[in-house]
Amino acid sequence: MITRPAAVPRKAGGEDSHAEPDGAGKTATPAPDRDEATGAGADVQAGSPSDFSDFVFSQSSLDFHVEADVDPIDAQAEEAAVLFANGQDAAAQSVLESAVQSCRDVAAERLWRMLFDLYRVTGQQSTFETLGIEYARAFEKSPPGWSGNAPEKTKPREGGASTLVFKGELLGSNQTAFDAVRQSLGKNRKLRLDMSKVGELDPDGCASLLQLLVLARKSRQEIELLGREVLGALVQGCVEVGRAEGKACWLLLLELCQLQGRQEAFEEVAINYAVTFEESPPSWETTRVAAPEPEIPAEVPASGEVGDAYVLHGEVKASRFTDIASFADSRDAVQIDCSGLKRLDFISAGALLNALTSVRRSGKKIVFLHPNYLVAELLSIVGLTAVATLVFAKR
């Protein structure tokens, strides 16, 4: 039997003097630099500046490990959003389909919403409807409806109506704007009151608007509120369950839910109102549901100004948004309409953050209207939700 010699440990800080190490005489190839966030290799040319373009997400591995202190739902949502932003639809779909099979609690509902939107954007209607059945079983409520990526078409309105833009903020001290509404009501049976430029409100301003709406109904007149989504997002931020303050804000929120036909949301707010103020809330009235707001034109550019909103449409790639600052200059509140936006890539999202951060510093309110859930997750990843409010479409 041959006796194997005992292993001799290497000397600290040097090579074993009795044996050459494996691969001696060969030139070692240095490991490529890797991006810490994605684990993806990135080829960096000497002297080139580092920016978003240095990241190559298509090389990212799906087989990464989530740290123990990272929420698994957040990790899956972020991974799918980045893959989708980079055009890797099949990989994003695989991540989300796997996630929804194991995640069926309320916290994971956003993963289901992301998958619904992925099926919608990629035209997979039958798969979308199958997922809807599973969603109804898991969450015991109706699933989103298949509607493409555009809002419902509106029915033609009967009769003429005057349109008035509410000037300034919805504050009790802004009597000039309220007087203008009263004067218009004195001349018109029907008035379309555009609230889309409002960026700030207080309880007194909400109370004054409610008084005008009640006055119009009693006088058999009609005030059709436009910009309900924007106004609703502002009012939502002013109410807090258990804090018995700003009752007019609560009542205006209930009124907006009523006008938009959102009965489930209305009932939830009504319960919270009763708990907070220990009194009965207004009742739901089916006959007071208003007609949908006008549809945004179907043919719009990939990005740019259309009416009172800055529109993002289709697939936005490598955009720098150099025109958004001038768009914001002439407005008290900035609306970014995403109802026709399918995809926003990572470079564009970073550029949009830079542009809108400067706008937010000037004190302007920023609202993203109707982004799909995949785009919304990307906006959150890059930090845009710190400077803007997201308002989702009701589907």
Side-chain angles (χ1 to χ4, degrees), residues 267-350:
E267 291 171 352
E268 181 179 351
V269 175
I271 292 171
N272 291 334
Y273 175 92
V275 169
T276 301
F277 294 99
E278 298 182 352
E279 65 181 44
S280 298
S283 300
W284 173 264
E285 299 176 46
T286 304
T287 57
R288 292 192 49 234
V289 175
E293 293 189 53
E295 180 184 0
I296 294 170
E299 295 299 326
V300 294
S303 63
E305 179 179 351
V306 175
D308 286 329
Y310 188 94
V311 174
L312 300 178
H313 186 76
E315 301 205 11
V316 178
K317 298 179 180 179
S319 252
R320 298 298 178 183
F321 306 102
T322 55
D323 57 340
I324 205 166
S326 60
F327 171 82
D329 283 343
S330 59
R331 289 163 173 81
D332 297 323
V334 179
Q335 296 181 47
I336 313 294
D337 194 299
C338 303
S339 57
L341 177 64
K342 292 183 177 181
R343 192 192 317 266
L344 184 72
D345 74 352
F346 209 89
I347 293 174
S348 299

Side-chain angles (χ1 to χ4, degrees), residues 164-171 177-178 181 192-201 205 209 212 223-232 234 252 256 293 333 335:
L164 176 69
V165 176
F166 190 89
K167 298 291 182 66
E169 307 297 358
L170 188 60
L171 304 174
F178 292 112
V181 177
R192 289 183 186 141
L193 184 57
D194 186 353
M195 308 296 295
S196 61
K197 293 189 177 183
V198 172
E200 184 181 354
L201 53 78
L209 179 58
L212 286 172
I223 296 179
E224 180 184 14
L225 289 182
L226 305 181
R228 299 168 211 156
E229 296 281 0
V230 175
L231 188 58
L234 289 173
L252 181 55
L256 291 170
E293 293 189 53
Q335 296 181 47

Side-chain angles (χ1 to χ4, degrees), residues 86-101:
N86 195 45
Q88 296 174 266
D89 296 352
Q93 181 171 326
S94 176
V95 169
L96 291 172
E97 287 178 340
S98 175
V100 301
Q101 290 304 312

Side-chain angles (χ1 to χ4, degrees), residues 62-77:
L62 300 181
D63 190 24
F64 63 88
H65 298 284
V66 179
E67 297 293 337
D69 59 346
V70 176
D71 185 286
I73 293 174
D74 287 342
Q76 290 165 322

